Amino acid sequence: MSQLFEPNRALSKQARIKNMCEYKELCIQADEDFEGYWDKLAREKIEWFKPYDRVLNEDNAPFYKWFEGGKLNVTHQCLGRHLNSRKNKAAIIWEGEDGTRRIITYLQLFYRVNRLANLLRNKFGIQKGDRVVLYMPMIPEAAFAMLACAKIGAIHSVVFGGFSADALRDRIQDAQAKLVITADGAFRRGKPYMLKPVVDEALREGCECCEKVLIVQRNFEDIEYVRGRDYVYNEIVMQESKYCEPEWMDAEDPLFLLYTSGSTGKPKGVQHSSAGYILWAQYTMEHVFDVKENDTFWCTADVGWITGHTYIVYGPLAMGATTIMYEGVPTFPDVGRWWSMIDEHRVNQFYTAPTAIRLLHKEGADAPSKYDLSSLKVLGTVGEPINPDAWMWYYEQIGGGKCPIVDTWWQTETGGHMITPLPGATPIKPGSATFPLPGIKAEIIDENGNPTPKGEKGFLCITKPWPSMIRNIWGDSDRFVKSYFGDCKKDGKPVYFSGDGAMYDDDGYIVITGRTDDVINVSGHRIGTAEIEAVLGHHENVAEVAVVGRPDPIKGEGIFAYIVIKGTDSISEEVYMIQELNKLIVKEIGNIAKLDAIRFVPGLPKTRSGKIMRRILRSIAKKEPITQDISTLEDPSIVEKIQNLVQF
Ligand code: WT7
């Protein structure tokens, strides 16, 4: 059992939830009167245009409906309602990698969003329910664009700027987007990089749905324009009025889609709702980070991921906080960049991924000592398990031993935090996300739906619906039901299965043990091994391929590919193949899926029915002894052959 760290007493006294008794009391309230608990929150937190008639409708489970009949607009929640008391408060503080700064107040943000919303409506004919793809760098206009869509009821789908043209095209097609909003590019590692050419490439074929492209100029590099299709935001947006009537949205109307990887097939468009999503974004901001009126909150994610959606844009703005947005990499001009920004902006809550902590620890263990980090009150992590080493460095060197670390477990599908410490209440320990938030019924169960005993791995399920849950997979309801409600049952009823394994430790703390499916977690990003295999299979010299994750000291997991090749057998050709295969990956997915290791093998371990035994391949990649029974394999001798090849 690892060490427990009690909450900082000074912080607890001021916190919204001050101790474990208060936490448990809320859990009991939610247990005793589930709908009443959520009803109270939804009334208190959301400024409704029209109140809802019903808290939860389970008639068509798992297509749950929350706050039916209620009308709202998420931008009123994030902007409009703050104008009385916060119009001159900084909503977004943006820092470019080159040191440029922009501070955008709530009133300014309101106007910006309105002008862009008008542009979308008037110039591009975007209507409620239309899909708009955003392929944006980390600039304030990314937030403007998300909110402008929300204002007029369009459904945004942000595609991370690291994805390739092919990946972008897949998403534009799947969403049938009418418009793409992008930028010329931005700056990374001191140099301009480009996005617009990637959009051109994506739209080259098969995207008839997408009629127009709106381009924000950020790095002012030369780009090509397609006449009649491409428009420059900077030139036309100011012609629009700064006032815009918000669309009255149903509580259940989709706010956005965000594509994420599954264990099979193409990435799926996770569909989120308006009311339930914004309620939970706001509530978790307030309670998990305990942000106060004058605080400055910084989440280092990219807006292309759910963390950026909920904790850079929607959550902080819904509660009227000040959110920091940073354009570049953490190591430019040096490894002290983030710490200098915390110092400069007096950041109070800082939220990042373990992979970044490990990198900055390794590359610059002493860098934090050069800065004044005393403004920090709460630290957070997300995306993958954090190892005790990195945790201790974060706790001591960044938090000065006084800031609780909230290790938040959640997913693209959950919309916001599910399992996490509360900074003023929960005694924390390195490597544990601790307990579910009040109202969230997270349970670790076995295949029969029974809770697993302490120390034993089980399936991490959420056994009751929650307001910010995924509503559907865009265009594929069957896949939605199968992916999330097909594997686990409790009391005979299908329940949401996260895809993660977990266990209770001796103290009943929840420890996430990682994915149980064929999804790997590279630097906190989810990648389906099936997607990578499909790409590699496109190479003419690849006969068979299997991809697994292998532990990596910085990235958490690295991508390890076993490949059976045809038509080539010399070593020099293998070196060439490695380059070829990575080119293919970069083209069809993007840099984030680059292979860390490739081994050319004579065959793959398969059962007699032809199923590849990935567990064996995972063990070999880790150089672990094989514990599985290999006698049932079609060719048991293949295991040793592969092992010998991997040892070098
Ligand atoms: C997967 C979700 C949630 C935003 C970022 C990733 C893993 C997430 C933790 C944590 C251990 C974690 C899980 C999960 N994960 N948070 N605190 N400890 N693992 O979102 O891309 O949807 O990935 O990330 O495996 O299923 P995502």
Side-chain angles (χ1 to χ4, degrees):
M1 189 191 77
S2 58
Q3 198 184 347
L4 271 182
F5 295 79
E6 293 293 331
N8 172 336
R9 299 241 346 240
L11 187 126
S12 292
K13 278 194 198 147
Q14 315 262 324
R16 289 179 171 83
I17 298 178
K18 297 176 172 39
N19 51 56
M20 286 311 268
C21 291
E22 288 187 6
Y23 162 74
K24 282 178 191 148
E25 172 59 29
L26 288 173
C27 294
I28 291 169
Q29 284 177 17
D31 256 359
E32 287 176 351
D33 178 10
F34 187 68
E35 288 192 26
Y37 174 83
W38 292 111
D39 186 24
K40 182 164 178 286
L41 278 188
R43 279 169 202 271
E44 272 175 19
K45 299 286 173 194
I46 294 185
E47 227 176 87
W48 296 93
F49 291 169
K50 173 181 169 288
Y52 48 87
D53 312 312
R54 193 169 173 186
V55 176
L56 172 63
N57 178 346
E58 302 190 80
D59 296 350
N60 194 20
F63 298 92
Y64 297 99
K65 289 189 180 145
W66 285 91
F67 315 120
E68 248 183 325
K71 296 271 187 192
L72 78 164
N73 187 289
V74 163
T75 67
H76 179 70
Q77 187 72 11
C78 291
L79 304 172
R81 74 188 184 113
H82 301 312
L83 296 183
N84 282 335
S85 54
R86 303 189 175 107
K87 70 176 189 297
N88 293 325
K89 177 174 176 174
I92 301 176
I93 298 179
W94 175 81
E95 201 169 293
E97 203 192 54
D98 56 6
T100 322
R101 295 215 177 120
R102 289 168 68 186
I103 299 176
I104 298 142
T105 65
Y106 271 91
L107 184 63
Q108 289 168 336
L109 183 57
F110 177 73
Y111 288 157
R112 293 294 182 131
V113 168
N114 289 346
R115 289 187 202 275
L116 179 51
N118 284 326
L119 188 69
L120 299 184
R121 239 187 211 155
N122 304 336
K123 178 116 193 155
F124 299 112
I126 304 295
Q127 294 175 355
K128 181 179 171 189
D130 286 344
R131 276 80 55 210
V132 176
V133 161
L134 274 53
Y135 189 65
M136 297 288 279
M138 286 289 288
I139 55 176
E141 285 75 10
F144 304 169
M146 291 162 77
L147 293 161
C149 288
K151 184 111 200 184
I152 61 170
I155 304 169
H156 62 72
S157 174
V158 186
V159 177
F160 173 59
F163 280 118
S164 69
D166 289 5
L168 175 61
R169 180 185 310 118
D170 281 350
R171 288 156 175 80
I172 293 170
Q173 286 172 340
D174 190 82
Q176 285 292 296
K178 248 177 127 170
L179 172 75
V180 174
I181 307 180
T182 188
D184 42 10
F187 293 93
R188 191 187 293 130
R189 294 192 181 83
K191 294 198 199 88
Y193 72 95
M194 304 307 289
L195 291 173
K196 168 65 166 51
V198 184
V199 174
D200 291 337
E201 177 65 30
L203 294 181
R204 192 146 295 156
E205 53 185 317
C207 291
E208 288 73 27
C209 55
C210 179
E211 296 151 10
K212 306 278 185 224
V213 177
L214 181 63
I215 303 135
V216 180
Q217 286 175 322
R218 155 64 184 141
N219 65 17
F220 294 89
E221 294 289 307
D222 284 339
I223 49 173
E224 282 174 21
Y225 292 95
V226 176
R227 194 182 275 272
R229 187 196 74 180
D230 296 355
Y231 294 83
V232 177
Y233 166 89
N234 314 48
E235 288 169 3
I236 54 178
V237 74
M238 291 311 278
Q239 296 159 8
E240 300 293 332
S241 158
K242 61 183 189 287
Y243 296 105
C244 173
E245 270 308 303
E247 198 73 40
W248 281 41
M249 304 298 286
D250 284 330
E252 279 295 322
D253 278 336
L255 179 63
F256 64 86
L257 310 178
L258 189 58
Y259 284 80
T260 190
S261 294
S263 50
T264 54
K266 291 215 169 197
K268 39 198 180 185
V270 171
Q271 180 184 322
H272 277 290
S273 71
S274 297
Y277 171 80
I278 201 67
L279 171 65
W280 202 233
Q282 182 178 329
Y283 179 88
T284 52
M285 256 317 279
E286 291 170 352
H287 289 77
V288 176
F289 297 115
D290 205 48
V291 173
K292 296 288 174 27
E293 187 61 48
N294 199 31
D295 283 353
T296 301
F297 177 84
W298 184 13
C299 163
T300 67
D302 189 284
V303 287
W305 310 112
I306 190 71
T307 312
H309 281 59
T310 310
Y311 299 109
I312 296 177
V313 181
Y314 286 114
L317 298 178
M319 73 168 294
T322 299
T323 182
I324 299 244
M325 193 174 187
Y326 170 57
E327 176 183 47
V329 299
T331 49
F332 186 86
D334 57 52
V335 286
R337 180 60 184 264
W338 279 2
W339 320 132
S340 85
M341 283 179 62
I342 292 176
D343 182 340
E344 178 75 22
H345 298 288
R346 310 308 295 146
V347 170
N348 303 103
Q349 293 84 14
F350 180 71
Y351 190 34
T352 194
T355 186
I357 299 168
R358 288 192 294 264
L359 177 81
L360 295 174
H361 179 199
K362 179 164 166 265
E363 305 282 318
D366 298 330
S369 65
K370 301 194 186 105
Y371 299 95
D372 175 5
L373 306 180
S374 60
S375 57
L376 288 170
K377 295 193 281 193
V378 178
L379 299 174
T381 68
V382 57
E384 42 170 342
I386 180 162
N387 46 308
D389 250 17
W391 195 99
M392 280 313 298
W393 183 75
Y394 196 35
Y395 188 74
E396 300 285 347
Q397 301 307 315
I398 309 303
K402 68 175 175 53
C403 303
I405 297 179
V406 290
D407 176 346
T408 59
W409 177 87
W410 58 296
Q411 310 178 291
T412 304
E413 293 85 345
T414 69
H417 304 145
M418 295 279 107
I419 303 175
T420 171
L422 291 163
T426 317
I428 47 177
K429 52 169 110 174
S432 172
T434 73
F435 309 109
L437 283 165
I440 300 299
K441 197 85 184 135
E443 295 182 78
I444 306 171
I445 57 181
D446 62 19
E447 49 278 357
N448 301 317
N450 298 317
T452 51
K454 286 177 179 173
E456 251 176 56
K457 276 193 208 174
F459 303 109
L460 177 55
C461 292
I462 304 171
T463 56
K464 277 190 178 182
W466 67 102
S468 65
M469 71 192 293
I470 173 176
R471 292 304 196 271
N472 209 338
I473 290 175
W474 184 254
D476 200 343
S477 304
D478 289 345
R479 190 172 176 202
F480 165 71
V481 178
K482 238 177 104 204
S483 302
Y484 301 108
F485 296 88
D487 293 320
C488 294
K489 281 194 169 137
K490 204 193 150 195
D491 304 327
K493 278 202 346 221
V495 291
Y496 177 89
F497 173 44
S498 62
D500 280 335
M503 64 181 185
Y504 301 106
D505 76 1
D506 292 341
D507 302 321
Y509 276 57
I510 295 176
V511 176
I512 312 294
T513 55
R515 304 286 307 190
T516 62
D517 52 12
D518 293 319
V519 169
I520 51 183
N521 191 325
V522 182
S523 303
H525 303 316
R526 248 158 87 172
I527 304 178
T529 52
E531 270 172 77
I532 304 175
E533 287 169 5
V535 171
L536 297 175
H538 292 160
H539 194 284
E540 54 181 8
N541 293 117
V542 170
E544 280 188 294
V545 50
V547 169
V548 298
R550 178 182 68 168
D552 179 284
I554 300 287
K555 298 199 225 176
E557 275 188 292
I559 305 175
F560 193 109
Y562 295 90
I563 289 175
V564 183
I565 41 181
K566 56 185 179 201
T568 169
D569 49 15
S570 75
I571 293 288
S572 62
E573 280 187 61
E574 283 190 359
V575 173
Y576 175 69
M577 275 287 284
I578 293 176
Q579 291 170 359
E580 287 282 290
L581 293 172
N582 265 321
K583 263 196 231 158
L584 209 57
I585 294 279
V586 171
K587 176 176 179 299
E588 295 193 30
I589 303 179
N591 275 321
I592 55 165
K594 262 194 179 166
L595 306 173
D596 293 279
I598 302 179
R599 291 292 179 266
F600 296 102
V601 292
L604 297 171
K606 285 188 194 155
T607 59
R608 288 195 190 104
S609 59
K611 192 173 170 303
I612 299 172
M613 296 289 287
R614 285 156 198 290
R615 272 178 44 204
I616 296 180
L617 292 173
R618 271 196 283 271
S619 300
I620 299 178
K622 283 191 207 165
K623 299 185 182 169
E624 271 175 9
I626 309 284
T627 51
Q628 296 90 342
D629 174 16
I630 61 168
S631 65
T632 57
L633 293 181
E634 193 181 43
D635 172 14
S637 75
I638 196 77
V639 174
E640 210 186 310
K641 286 184 200 148
I642 301 176
Q643 269 177 319
N644 291 336
L645 282 163
V646 170
Q647 296 316 320
F648 68 83

